[in-house]
Amino acid sequence: MLKGKRVLLGVTGGIAAYRAAELARMLTREGAEVRVAMTAAACEFVQPLTFQALCGHPVMLSLFDQQEESQIGHIAAARWPDCIVVAPATANFIGKAAGGIADDLLTTIVMASRKPVVLAPAMNWAMWQNEFVQANLARLTALERFQIVPPEEGEMACGETGKGRLATLDFIIDRVVYASREEKDLHDETVLITSGPTYEDIDPVRFVANRSSGKMGFALAREARARGGRVILIAGPNSLIPPCDVQVVPVRTAAQMLEAVRKHAPEANVIIKAAAVADFRPARTADRKIHKDEGDFSLPLVKTVDILSELGQSKRHNQFLVGFAAETHQVMTYGSQKLREKRLDLIVVNDVSEEGAGFEVDTNVVKVIDNAGHIEQWPMMPKAKVAVMLFDLIQKHRANQKGPDKGRDGHSVRPSHRPGGGRRRRSKRGGGGGGGGGGESRGGEGRANGGNPEGQPA
């Protein structure tokens, strides 16, 4: 998500400085070119050679080192990055930044730069609560280019417990991604994303589920937030770290997801249904564990509400609805059918039996069909990249809908969304189906494993 971006990592003198080495590695792994500037106090905790080995560049240490200044001066260093991240940011550094003090290399770089600055404070809980620290943070927060990643609560190196631990590194990465993105094409818009599986209880011990991990939905949420959107992520059970600055609504069952979607869908401009919602649930849930010595056991299943179809029918004229379909055969046939029947703007289809395109992996291989019948086929790529390309495509289609829409043969057609809920007029070649919606995959047979999940598992 940071491919081609240049990030300057500032490290100040706190015990959390050792975690900055892992942060540097993670930034590099995300595709960023990373350079490091350290304060003198930081060097007491971590050797500069560590960062040089991780990033492949000499570490910047002093304003008065003639060799360093001849290689990359502090003014050039201030203009080099797309984003500056200071982690850990001590109370001392925060005070200097808020007061406009530039008495070492790192504070001088921050002062001379006009690029976004992400600060990840880390300090003892008492220092964090100090009124001067809070006043300094408030002053920096009021400046548009400074973003604060608040510390976490927990046990500290001193043995005390409280708020002051360096934030989860994934949160810091998320904020760097957001700050580095210049184009915010979802600014002031709300994006609703569903993700993960649902669990349908058989008894207090067992449940019907599927293999979705939620990774695709979480990648979509991060990308939407990076584009400036207000993101609501309705997430089924998962073990993932939630994206930073995203409103997460945890759910367990299909009924709970339906309730959450009904609550939040009216405010959304874009809805992406990537959740693998069970198509079927047990007809009844036992209030005690069912033992095998009770004899043979059969599990009657009943259909769950088709969330995506409901969204397609109630979709506003200015909503854009995207569905996912996880299939194992006749992928395009089933995908196109769902696109039409559920009034989708786009559907993302994949063959989960294909290597690298199924469940519980970090990659995907997808085909995207729009409601004019156009098909895009994307090779295997990380789910984060799929999210980028999908939002590029969504924004392209939304821009086209604001002006004259063109059918597959080039002739103008009515907009796919009308206040009265009308459908798109087919072009001469047909292939266009209903005008809107986003679709989850729903299976035709009831099975004890939940049938075909409603959406593309991530």
Side-chain angles (χ1 to χ4, degrees):
M1 295 182 73
L2 289 169
K3 185 177 181 180
K5 298 295 183 181
R6 297 181 295 191
V7 178
L8 191 146
L9 171 60
V11 185
T12 65
I15 187 62
Y18 78 94
R19 296 185 63 194
E22 176 65 12
L23 179 61
R25 188 186 71 84
M26 291 173 66
L27 288 166
T28 302
R29 189 172 58 191
E30 289 289 332
E33 181 182 359
V34 181
R35 292 181 181 268
V36 179
M38 300 177 68
T39 65
C43 296
E44 298 295 324
F45 293 93
V46 184
Q47 291 297 309
L49 184 59
T50 300
F51 291 100
Q52 181 172 329
L54 289 169
C55 302
H57 296 289
V59 176
M60 296 174 282
L61 299 172
S62 173
L63 275 170
F64 305 106
D65 187 310
Q66 293 184 359
Q67 181 177 359
E68 288 182 10
E69 282 291 297
S70 65
Q71 293 174 347
I72 179 168
H74 63 275
I75 298 298
R79 295 172 181 170
W80 174 80
D82 297 296
C83 178
I84 298 171
V85 54
V86 182
T90 60
N92 181 60
F93 176 85
I94 291 169
K96 289 181 178 180
I101 297 173
D103 62 353
D104 63 10
L105 178 63
L106 183 55
T107 52
T108 301
I109 290 174
V110 171
M111 191 69 59
S113 177
R114 302 309 306 161
K115 298 302 177 67
V117 179
V118 175
L119 300 181
M123 62 197 73
N124 177 269
W125 66 268
M127 295 182 70
W128 173 253
Q129 293 181 1
N130 182 276
E131 57 270 23
F132 289 107
V133 172
Q134 291 302 313
N136 288 332
L137 287 167
R139 187 171 186 180
L140 291 172
T141 303
L143 302 175
E144 185 176 351
R145 72 187 187 99
F146 282 87
Q147 300 184 29
I148 312 298
V149 186
E152 297 178 347
E153 189 165 345
E155 186 177 356
M156 302 181 178
C158 62
E160 297 181 339
T161 300
K163 187 172 184 179
R165 293 176 45 167
L166 186 70
T168 299
L169 299 185
D170 293 86
F171 287 177
I172 300 174
I173 294 286
D174 284 348
R175 193 64 70 85
V176 172
V177 171
Y178 304 163
S180 300
R181 188 71 63 86
E182 294 181 0
E183 183 180 0
K184 307 289 187 182
D185 57 0
L186 289 173
H187 181 65
D188 286 339
E189 298 199 87
T190 298
V191 180
L192 175 64
I193 298 169
T194 66
S195 176
T198 61
Y199 290 174
E200 312 301 327
D201 291 330
I202 299 171
D203 62 20
V205 177
R206 307 175 183 90
F207 54 84
V208 175
N210 56 69
R211 294 167 53 197
S212 172
S213 65
K215 290 182 177 181
M216 189 68 247
F218 275 55
L220 289 164
R222 285 190 168 91
E223 177 62 19
R225 183 65 188 89
R227 292 171 179 255
R230 171 180 172 253
V231 182
I232 303 170
L233 176 62
I234 302 175
N238 66 85
S239 59
L240 305 175
I241 296 174
C244 185
D245 297 337
V246 166
Q247 179 184 346
V248 180
V249 181
V251 298
R252 175 179 171 83
T253 67
Q256 292 171 350
M257 184 165 287
L258 173 63
E259 181 182 2
V261 168
R262 283 174 173 172
K263 177 180 178 180
H264 294 286
E267 59 186 309
N269 303 99
V270 176
I271 302 175
I272 304 178
K273 297 292 280 113
V277 182
D279 295 315
F280 297 88
R281 62 173 178 80
R284 63 178 294 271
T285 300
D287 57 5
R288 59 180 177 83
K289 180 181 177 181
I290 301 170
H291 288 272
K292 62 182 178 181
D293 57 9
E294 296 178 13
D296 292 338
F297 174 69
S298 62
L299 184 65
L301 299 174
V302 296
K303 284 186 177 182
T304 59
V305 175
D306 190 329
I307 301 174
L308 189 58
S309 288
E310 182 174 301
L311 280 172
Q313 294 302 315
S314 62
K315 178 167 58 94
R316 299 193 316 269
H317 73 281
N318 60 343
Q319 278 185 325
F320 196 93
L321 194 54
V322 181
F324 275 69
E327 303 291 348
T328 58
H329 62 286
Q330 294 183 311
V331 172
M332 299 306 295
T333 300
Y334 286 128
S336 298
Q337 178 182 341
K338 289 161 188 166
L339 178 76
R340 293 190 301 271
E341 292 179 353
K342 302 186 182 185
R343 303 186 63 233
L344 314 182
D345 292 292
L346 295 174
I347 189 165
V348 183
V349 186
N350 70 340
D351 182 345
V352 296
S353 65
E354 186 176 351
E355 183 178 357
F359 304 87
E360 302 166 339
V361 294
D362 295 325
T363 58
N364 215 340
V365 183
V366 304
K367 298 178 179 68
V368 185
I369 313 172
D370 66 21
N371 57 13
H374 302 127
I375 300 171
E376 292 199 14
Q377 184 169 343
W378 300 342
M380 183 189 298
M381 63 182 71
K383 287 177 176 174
K385 179 62 175 177
V386 174
V388 173
M389 293 182 65
L390 182 57
F391 271 105
D392 285 345
L393 189 59
I394 288 170
Q395 293 300 83
K396 177 182 177 181
H397 277 266
R398 294 179 72 206
N400 289 340
Q401 287 178 355
K402 293 177 182 178
D405 196 6
K406 299 293 182 181
R408 294 181 64 185
D409 58 0
H411 294 292
S412 296
V413 297
R414 291 179 181 176
S416 59
H417 304 302
R418 298 173 57 199
R423 292 179 175 270
R424 173 189 294 272
R425 179 187 299 166
R426 292 179 183 268
S427 65
K428 292 182 179 180
R429 293 189 183 181
E440 295 157 313
S441 168
R442 294 185 62 89
E445 311 88 33
R447 302 197 304 265
N449 65 357
N452 292 333
E454 256 193 282
Q456 158 61 33

